[in-house]
Amino acid sequence: QVQLVESGGGLVQPGGSLRLSCAASGFTFSDYYMIWIRQAPGKGLEWVSFISARSTNIYYTDSVKGRFTISRDDVQNSLYLQMNSLRADDTAIYYCARGWSAYTAIDGWGQGTTVTVSS
Amino acid sequence: DIQMTQSPSSLSASVGDRVTITCRASQSIGRYLNWYQQRPGKAPTLLIHGASNLQSGVPSRFSGGRSGTDFTLTISSLQPEDFATYFCQESYTSVAGTFGQGTRLEIK
């Protein structure tokens, strides 16, 4: 079955960096769009970044442009999010998720990894 | 940017009740509307895609509808496990389209 397992979250000071990873299994990873979505405490869902199959297209929400970098390794079946210059408002649960194509629903989610930015 | 407005933001109901949640798009999105359920402390799961298509494994008491830019999620007979937060999402702009703010469904 589809499995997405995030790791790499933790407590970091403002201005610091973290690298999130997502290990995928149970499906042909290289065929899917992969997305990072976050949820601040008690808040709704916000997409952060997504990457198309074969890394052809990459998008970022405005608030993370220039600070976050998404990448994927289709050999290792892994998705990554390099987060630099972290701010307090980046504090959230970060979910790794997949979508079949550019305009489909998100049909698989990881359990999330928590990022806390605080001094 | 497309705005997705859900109503109500919270709802109290009893087991066995029929409930409907609405999501309104700020512009035409065709049938590119999806619904997700999020139980406390868990990741979201897909319930309905393409406005009215039930995701595999989702109970048939869930259904989705559309009238123009208004979309509905209906639960025909609430079960204890249905008390959760529900989000709509447009995928007209992309797979990572805008989410609604969520509707929290609580036990009365």
Side-chain angles (χ1 to χ4, degrees), chain A residues 83-102:
Chain A
M83 304 188 296
N84 299 329
S85 303
L86 283 161
R87 311 186 306 216
D89 62 358
D90 294 318
T91 294
I93 298 172
Y94 284 72
Y95 294 103
C96 165
R98 73 167 200 178
W100 172 242
S101 71

Side-chain angles (χ1 to χ4, degrees), chain A residues 39 47 95 102-104 106 109-110, chain B residues 36 38 43-44 91 93-96:
Chain A
Q39 187 170 35
W47 76 270
Y95 294 103
Y103 303 102
T104 58
I106 299 168
W109 298 70
Chain B
Y36 302 88
Q38 186 176 34
S91 52
T93 53
S94 79
V95 65

Side-chain angles (χ1 to χ4, degrees), chain B residues 68-82:
Chain B
T69 58
D70 290 341
F71 298 83
T72 55
L73 172 69
T74 298
I75 310 172
S76 60
S77 178
L78 276 172
Q79 298 303 301
E81 61 269 29
D82 299 337

Side-chain angles (χ1 to χ4, degrees), chain A residues 10-86:
Chain A
L11 174 64
V12 62
Q13 292 187 340
S17 298
L18 279 176
R19 188 189 194 216
L20 305 184
S21 300
C22 172
S25 61
F27 65 101
T28 306
F29 179 77
S30 59
D31 285 348
Y32 281 77
Y33 277 64
M34 296 301 298
I35 310 129
W36 287 103
I37 293 165
R38 67 185 178 185
Q39 187 170 35
K43 300 297 184 182
L45 300 166
E46 177 191 33
W47 76 270
V48 175
S49 180
F50 68 97
I51 185 169
S52 66
R54 293 174 293 282
S55 305
T56 308
N57 298 298
I58 289 175
Y59 298 90
Y60 300 96
T61 196
D62 285 346
S63 62
V64 308
K65 283 179 183 174
R67 300 189 299 124
F68 290 11
T69 302
I70 191 171
S71 61
R72 63 188 297 161
D73 183 334
D74 290 345
V75 174
Q76 298 292 325
N77 291 339
S78 293
L79 177 72
Y80 305 100
L81 187 68
Q82 177 67 43
M83 304 188 296
N84 299 329
S85 303
L86 283 161

